[in-house]
């Protein structure tokens, strides 16, 4: 099993990921134990798993990527994250508000996406867990 995956809506993380993330500023975010079952819907996967509640919102996303798709226009433009294999470092832009506050957050301007601070990304990298996230650096404007 990967250390992070989307489980029919919420993001699910392994104990190893939760243990690293707890060392950083999670703000209003947290972890809730969840059972992860095999295809038969009865047999649990080994280990502990957690639903990751981001709990933090920052409006810092400025756009970028490979022509993000507008979704809703009501006071602001909401974007879909382009496929992660199309995104390269520094293609997405955020303002300096991204540098303040909790180390993990969502932005209402782009859906199915979450952001982490460089500090948290480096912590996960140091623990050998960052690869599963597919992190990309954002350009700070």
């Amino acid at each position: 099993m990967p250390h992070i995956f989307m489980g029919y809506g919420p993001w699910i993380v392994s104990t190893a990921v939760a243990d690293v993330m707890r060392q950083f500023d999670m703000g209003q975010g947290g972890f809730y134990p969840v059972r992860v079952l095999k295809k038969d819907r009865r047999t649990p996967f080994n280990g502990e798993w957690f639903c990751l509640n981001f709990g933090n919102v920052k409006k810092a996303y400025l756009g970028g990527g490979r022509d993000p798709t507008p979704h809703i226009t009501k006071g602001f433009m909401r974007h879909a994250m382009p496929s992660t294999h199309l995104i390269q470092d520094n293609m997405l832009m955020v303002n300096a508000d991204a540098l303040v506050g909790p180390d993990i957050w969502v932005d209402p301007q782009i859906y199915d996406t979450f952001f982490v601070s460089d500090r948290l990304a480096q912590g996960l990298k140091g623990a050998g867990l960052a690869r599963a996230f597919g992190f990309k650096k954002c350009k700070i404007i």
Side-chain angles (χ1 to χ4, degrees):
M1 289 292 290
H3 285 282
I4 183 169
F5 61 92
M6 191 173 276
Y8 295 105
W11 287 94
I12 308 298
V13 297
S14 67
T15 300
V17 168
D19 288 347
V20 171
M21 286 186 160
R22 286 183 181 117
Q23 298 173 42
F24 294 86
D25 182 358
M26 292 295 293
Q28 297 299 307
F31 303 95
Y32 298 91
V34 65
R35 288 181 21 159
V36 177
L37 304 176
K38 295 185 179 184
K39 192 174 181 177
D40 66 10
R41 297 183 185 182
R42 291 188 184 127
T43 310
F45 275 96
N46 290 336
E48 290 183 283
W49 298 90
F50 298 89
C51 176
L52 173 57
N53 177 8
F54 300 103
N56 306 299
V57 176
K58 295 182 191 181
K59 196 171 178 184
Y61 178 69
L62 297 175
R66 188 171 178 253
D67 193 25
T69 309
H71 178 63
I72 298 173
T73 309
K74 288 185 181 175
F76 66 91
M77 185 72 73
R78 191 161 184 211
H79 299 269
M81 171 60 85
S83 297
T84 53
H85 70 279
L86 299 175
I87 296 295
Q88 301 298 319
D89 283 343
N90 298 311
M91 286 178 76
L92 301 180
M93 298 173 287
V94 296
N95 65 32
D97 291 344
L99 301 174
V100 180
D103 289 309
I104 190 166
W105 68 94
V106 294
D107 191 306
Q109 301 170 107
I110 184 167
Y111 61 90
D112 289 342
T113 303
F114 64 91
F115 295 85
V116 301
S117 67
D118 183 59
R119 212 166 58 119
L120 177 51
Q122 293 304 318
L124 289 163
K125 184 177 180 181
L129 300 168
R131 187 173 208 190
F133 287 81
F135 290 136
K136 302 297 181 199
K137 293 179 183 178
C138 293
K139 185 175 185 175
I140 298 172
I141 304 292

